[in-house]
Amino acid sequence: MGQGVGRPERRSKSLRLDGYQTIMTAEEEEEEEAAECAEDVAEKHSQKLKAICGQADLKNEAVGLYNIGLSCCLNSLLQVFFMNRNFTAILRRIKVPFDAVEQKQSVPYQMLLLLEAMQRGKHKSVHPTGLAKCLSEHRVRLFVLYDASQLFLILWNLIKSQITNSHLAESLADLYTIRLQEYLVCQKCLLETKKNSNMLMLPLPMFSHDSHRVRTLEDSLHCFFAPEHLTGDNMCHCKRCDKKTVCLQGMKVTCLPQTLTLHLKRFCSKHGNDTQKIGHYLSFPQNLDFRQILTREQYQPDFPEEGSGLYDLFAVVAHSGSARCGHYCAYIWSLMEHKWYCFNDSSVCQVSWDDVKCTYGHAGLRWSETAYLLVYRKKESAAAF
């Protein structure tokens, strides 16, 4: 759905106590020397690779990715990851797997190699073949129509699960995780039940609760966070009343991440399993202020700081075509050059904000290009790098 032609640390050398000696055969000595030599080579390669990738965001020229089999969705998401310096700062600090088989199966390592190829090569575009083969080992195959929101979650979870350093894995989680608190209030006895939850993206509706079209991102956020009365068949069991009662259900934000991903739910199922695309107009701003969009009850950060709710638009993953056959590309703001670029597989070109606004949508155009994923970056994080 939503896509078409265009989802062990290196073992440290053991310490030997003074006066303690071991007797080894010549064969064992050779094996140990060979192992130490291999470890040294791997360590040097790891340091060299990190040094190279540490310069990744210093190269001004944007590099494309070839479409190698309905991979426009994958290519667009990879560009959004790579252009985010908060993400590459984590990626270039990963521990390189020592074993060759592990290297081929490590998604973070293969992403690091691809980033190196993009930054060191002299070509305008590179083939993400190694990463694609690695992803196929994890059942993410080519020539499959992926939904960008689903593939983003698959990629992110693979990356996090394969980062062996717990501190880096936690940093990745902090970078993307939206922390919420859900609540349920019985309207008869006013018993309130709370539950904390985490999300990697907010799935925002294209229609309001009364089935009217949502025209702006701000209104879509209002709809998502609006409290809802659960009545009739949707009533919940109240422990105090010991029966099903009318309840008020809602949620509030307790922590917003540095990189905020918003999913515009433009694909919906109608008439059974038939999936259709919603192409109507929905505008989104270059800047967001959650203190202005949400109420004080809806936005209650655990650690409120000045400017903590301010965001700048960083990337737009746009979809053209229908739910059955289409194409993805990514509009991304260059943090180094302060310019918008369109990454359309191997084609990369500079664009204007007016070009990005064309992804607002147009219901009258069957092949209309519409924004599907919006990525915002917290203002202070942009200044920190």
Side-chain angles (χ1 to χ4, degrees):
M1 175 179 66
Q3 188 194 348
V5 195
R7 207 167 120 51
E9 293 199 5
R10 169 178 172 266
R11 291 187 291 269
S12 60
K13 299 177 182 178
S14 57
L15 296 176
R16 298 183 178 180
L17 298 177
D18 292 337
Y20 184 83
Q21 297 180 353
T22 58
I23 301 175
M24 297 184 293
T25 65
E27 183 178 353
E28 289 175 330
E29 289 179 349
E30 290 178 359
E31 289 179 354
E32 183 180 82
E33 289 178 359
E36 290 181 355
C37 180
E39 287 188 351
D40 289 339
V41 171
E43 181 65 23
K44 290 179 180 178
H45 175 68
S46 174
Q47 294 175 355
K48 179 181 177 182
L49 187 60
K50 292 178 181 180
I52 292 169
C53 293
Q55 304 299 317
D57 11 71
L58 300 181
K59 183 175 179 179
N60 290 332
E61 186 177 3
V63 179
L65 293 170
Y66 285 108
N67 191 317
I68 56 176
L70 301 184
S71 62
C72 60
C73 182
L74 174 63
N75 290 345
S76 298
L77 293 175
L78 289 176
Q79 295 286 12
V80 174
F81 277 121
F82 289 154
M83 292 289 285
N84 186 344
R85 289 179 293 180
N86 295 90
F87 175 82
T88 57
I90 295 173
L91 185 65
R92 63 182 178 235
R93 292 169 57 198
I94 67 169
K95 183 68 177 180
V96 175
F98 176 71
D99 183 74
V101 175
E102 292 179 356
Q103 291 180 1
K104 292 181 180 180
Q105 296 179 345
S106 171
V107 175
Y109 176 67
Q110 291 299 324
M111 289 184 70
L112 200 58
L113 289 181
L114 180 58
L115 182 61
E116 175 192 12
M118 295 173 69
Q119 296 303 322
R120 293 196 70 196
K122 298 180 180 179
H123 301 288
K124 296 292 185 180
S125 300
V126 299
H127 290 84
T129 310
L131 177 59
K133 290 180 179 179
C134 173
L135 290 172
S136 69
E137 295 288 330
H138 302 281
R139 300 182 180 180
V140 182
R141 304 189 180 280
L142 299 179
F143 303 102
V144 175
L145 306 181
Y146 285 104
D147 178 285
S149 63
Q150 295 175 351
L151 187 56
F152 170 84
L153 295 176
I154 292 172
L155 286 174
W156 191 94
N157 282 294
L158 280 173
I159 296 167
K160 184 176 183 295
S161 65
Q162 294 183 347
I163 293 180
T164 57
N165 185 304
S166 59
H167 175 70
L168 288 182
E170 184 179 348
S171 296
L172 180 66
D174 290 340
L175 180 60
Y176 287 94
T177 302
I178 306 160
R179 307 192 188 280
L180 306 169
Q181 185 180 86
E182 303 175 51
Y183 62 85
L184 193 68
V185 182
C186 173
Q187 297 301 282
K188 184 175 182 180
C189 69
L190 299 182
L191 175 67
E192 183 177 16
T193 305
K194 298 179 181 180
K195 181 181 70 172
N196 294 326
S197 62
N198 298 328
M199 303 181 74
L200 288 176
M201 62 176 68
L202 295 181
L204 302 182
M206 297 295 294
F207 293 93
S208 62
H209 294 304
D210 54 4
S211 299
H212 287 94
R213 290 182 175 181
V214 176
R215 295 291 185 177
T216 68
L217 179 65
E218 293 89 338
D219 287 342
S220 185
L221 284 165
H222 287 152
C223 292
F224 180 80
F225 283 99
E228 180 182 5
H229 280 90
L230 304 180
T231 61
D233 293 338
N234 295 323
M235 289 193 300
C236 298
H237 185 271
C238 175
K239 293 182 179 180
R240 182 179 293 172
C241 298
D242 197 23
K243 64 179 181 179
K244 286 189 174 182
T245 61
V246 175
C247 293
L248 181 68
Q249 182 184 53
M251 66 179 69
K252 65 180 180 180
V253 175
T254 58
C255 182
L256 288 173
Q258 288 182 326
T259 300
L260 175 66
T261 307
L262 306 177
H263 168 210
L264 301 180
K265 297 174 65 177
R266 287 192 176 273
F267 298 116
C268 64
S269 297
K270 293 183 179 180
H271 311 297
N273 295 326
D274 184 23
T275 301
Q276 297 183 1
K277 179 180 177 180
I278 303 170
H280 73 246
Y281 180 96
L282 187 145
S283 65
F284 48 85
Q286 294 190 68
N287 311 107
L288 281 179
D289 185 351
F290 277 85
R291 297 168 302 180
Q292 300 296 324
I293 297 174
L294 303 181
T295 65
R296 290 186 177 181
E297 291 73 22
Q298 295 168 339
Y299 181 56
Q300 297 182 13
D302 291 333
F303 304 100
E305 298 176 357
E306 185 178 355
S308 60
L310 301 176
Y311 282 82
D312 293 325
L313 183 64
F314 168 66
V316 178
V317 176
H319 178 269
S320 303
S322 66
R324 291 182 175 271
C325 178
H327 179 72
Y328 283 104
C329 70
Y331 296 86
I332 307 176
W333 176 255
S334 171
L335 301 172
M336 290 294 294
E337 300 180 76
H338 303 288
K339 297 176 183 177
W340 281 102
Y341 282 92
C342 177
F343 293 83
N344 188 3
D345 287 332
S346 59
S347 175
V348 181
C349 63
Q350 184 182 335
V351 294
S352 67
W353 170 240
D354 287 336
D355 294 319
V356 180
K357 289 195 296 183
C358 289
T359 64
Y360 285 171
H362 194 295
L365 298 178
R366 189 166 182 264
W367 196 260
S368 174
E369 184 179 46
T370 52
Y372 189 55
L373 297 182
L374 301 176
V375 182
Y376 283 84
R377 295 181 77 251
K378 193 174 288 188
K379 276 187 177 292
E380 60 262 35
S381 67
F385 283 82

